[in-house]
Amino acid sequence: MPTQTKSQLIVRLKAEIDSLPPRLKAVAKYIIDHPGDFGIDPVRVTAARIGVSTNALVRLARHMGFDGFDPFRAPFRAALVTEREDSLGADWLERMARDGAQGRMQADLARNGMNIVARSLRLMTPEKTRTAVEFMTGARTCYVTASRASYALAYYFHYVGRMALPGLQLVPRHMGSAVDELMDTGAQDCLVAVTFAPYSAETIQSLRFARQRGARIILISDSEVIAPRVEPDLVLPVATQSQHHFECYTGAMAVLECLLGHLIAAGGAAAHQRIADYEAMREDTGAYWKAPRLPRIRET
């Protein structure tokens, strides 16, 4: 089955818990209530705490599409490591830098990535974030535009964001010009533009066109001043310096991920229902590869 995060598994457990047999329901409730303990403890310890046999945990794992207990527990364990990463220090960078030329380069690249993420998120103040969310959720239509390498960032932001904000539109969607798809833009709309030096002429054209139409503009860029007659209402500045020839987009991706989190939170129950509907539709249409389901084991 596709890789799932701890959060996705908990959402699914909450959705399915009422339809589970009593013992599996008890296991599901324990995991929802104690995800950290579930990520750490061996199967026998978890079973003893719940008051069921280890077989019940294996059955729930297989119900969720996993081959066994350990693969099912793995996303919860991975989440624990990620959530505690900031308390582990940076000794690993020093050790890495001592591992020859390749190690020194990797340490430099890793340190650079961490620095630009930290700076980009530090510049993303609560005031700027609140304004961005208000612009986007209050718009009749919110457009997202970028071109060339930045287009990948805009595509991902739209792919996830449209589940929380149905009016989110990616432009250009195909091979045309973004301006072609902004013809109906007006004062009730919003444009989110992503561009970094050297700035895309097409993105600048879109920014100027949207300004002429009176739309609110959110610019995600490495500078607040990218070209004449580009006058955004809000700039979310990001750091992009890299150890190679091209700009590093790690900081921009972190800012977009934070913005997605705020949009989903602002969407409330309706956004979570749309996300569930999207996931169900993908399951129904075979969008994800699934390993063959193993035969169920009867619990004695």
Side-chain angles (χ1 to χ4, degrees):
M1 72 181 301
T3 301
Q4 296 187 70
T5 65
K6 179 198 79 171
S7 297
Q8 290 171 328
L9 288 170
I10 288 178
V11 167
R12 186 176 165 198
L13 286 170
K14 288 179 178 178
E16 298 182 14
I17 190 169
D18 289 338
S19 63
L20 294 173
R23 291 184 183 180
L24 298 196
K25 184 180 294 185
V27 175
K29 185 178 186 318
Y30 178 84
I31 295 171
I32 293 168
D33 293 341
H34 308 282
D37 291 335
F38 179 69
I40 294 174
D41 293 334
V43 63
R44 293 187 182 280
V45 172
T46 300
R49 286 184 173 180
I50 303 171
V52 298
S53 70
T54 57
N55 191 40
L57 279 85
V58 174
R59 287 176 59 205
L60 182 62
R62 291 178 175 173
H63 171 81
M64 299 292 285
F66 293 88
D67 292 340
F69 173 80
D70 286 336
F72 181 34
R73 183 183 59 171
F76 293 84
R77 177 165 289 190
L80 284 174
V81 174
T82 301
E83 290 164 3
R84 297 176 181 176
E85 190 69 34
D86 61 349
S87 65
L88 298 180
D91 292 348
W92 61 275
L93 280 173
E94 301 303 324
R95 292 194 299 272
M96 185 179 289
R98 294 194 292 268
D99 191 10
Q102 199 76 28
R104 287 193 298 273
M105 176 177 288
Q106 174 61 13
D108 287 343
L109 291 168
R111 187 177 287 108
N112 181 76
M114 294 165 63
N115 285 339
I116 65 174
V117 167
R119 175 166 176 77
S120 299
L121 294 178
R122 181 165 57 83
L123 295 173
M124 190 181 184
T125 63
E127 181 182 1
K128 286 179 176 288
T129 303
R130 279 192 295 269
T131 302
V133 172
E134 288 171 4
F135 283 179
M136 297 181 71
T137 57
R140 175 185 59 182
T141 302
C142 184
Y143 298 93
V144 183
T145 191
S147 62
R148 298 181 174 82
S150 303
Y151 189 80
L153 295 172
Y155 180 91
Y156 172 75
F157 184 75
H158 169 257
Y159 182 82
V160 176
R162 63 184 174 152
M163 301 181 210
L165 191 64
L168 193 62
Q169 297 291 330
L170 177 66
V171 294
R173 282 170 290 186
H174 303 294
M175 294 301 293
S177 166
V179 171
D180 292 343
E181 300 179 50
L182 293 172
M183 289 299 296
D184 295 329
T185 306
Q188 296 174 288
D189 302 313
C190 174
L191 174 66
V192 179
V194 184
T195 186
F196 310 102
Y199 308 110
S200 164
E202 183 175 345
T203 301
I204 289 173
Q205 184 182 21
S206 299
L207 286 162
R208 289 171 175 165
F209 184 84
R211 170 56 67 211
Q212 291 172 2
R213 294 296 181 112
R216 284 175 164 170
I217 296 173
I218 300 171
L219 175 63
I220 300 174
S221 184
D222 55 353
S223 175
E224 296 194 10
V225 181
I226 64 172
R229 294 186 294 113
V230 172
E231 302 168 352
D233 296 283
L234 175 68
V235 178
L236 295 177
V238 299
T240 60
Q241 72 268 16
S242 75
Q243 301 294 305
H244 52 76
H245 179 74
F246 299 98
E247 300 298 311
C248 184
Y249 289 174
T250 310
M253 192 67 207
V255 167
L256 289 172
E257 286 285 3
C258 281
L259 196 52
L260 285 171
H262 284 288
L263 287 175
I264 292 172
H272 287 284
Q273 185 58 55
R274 279 191 294 272
I275 292 170
D277 291 343
Y278 268 100
E279 288 299 302
M281 178 270 293
R282 290 169 184 143
E283 291 284 349
D284 292 344
T285 57
Y288 302 131
W289 178 85
K290 290 184 179 181
R293 187 178 291 275
L294 297 175
R296 292 185 181 274
I297 299 175
R298 288 185 178 275
E299 185 171 3
T300 58

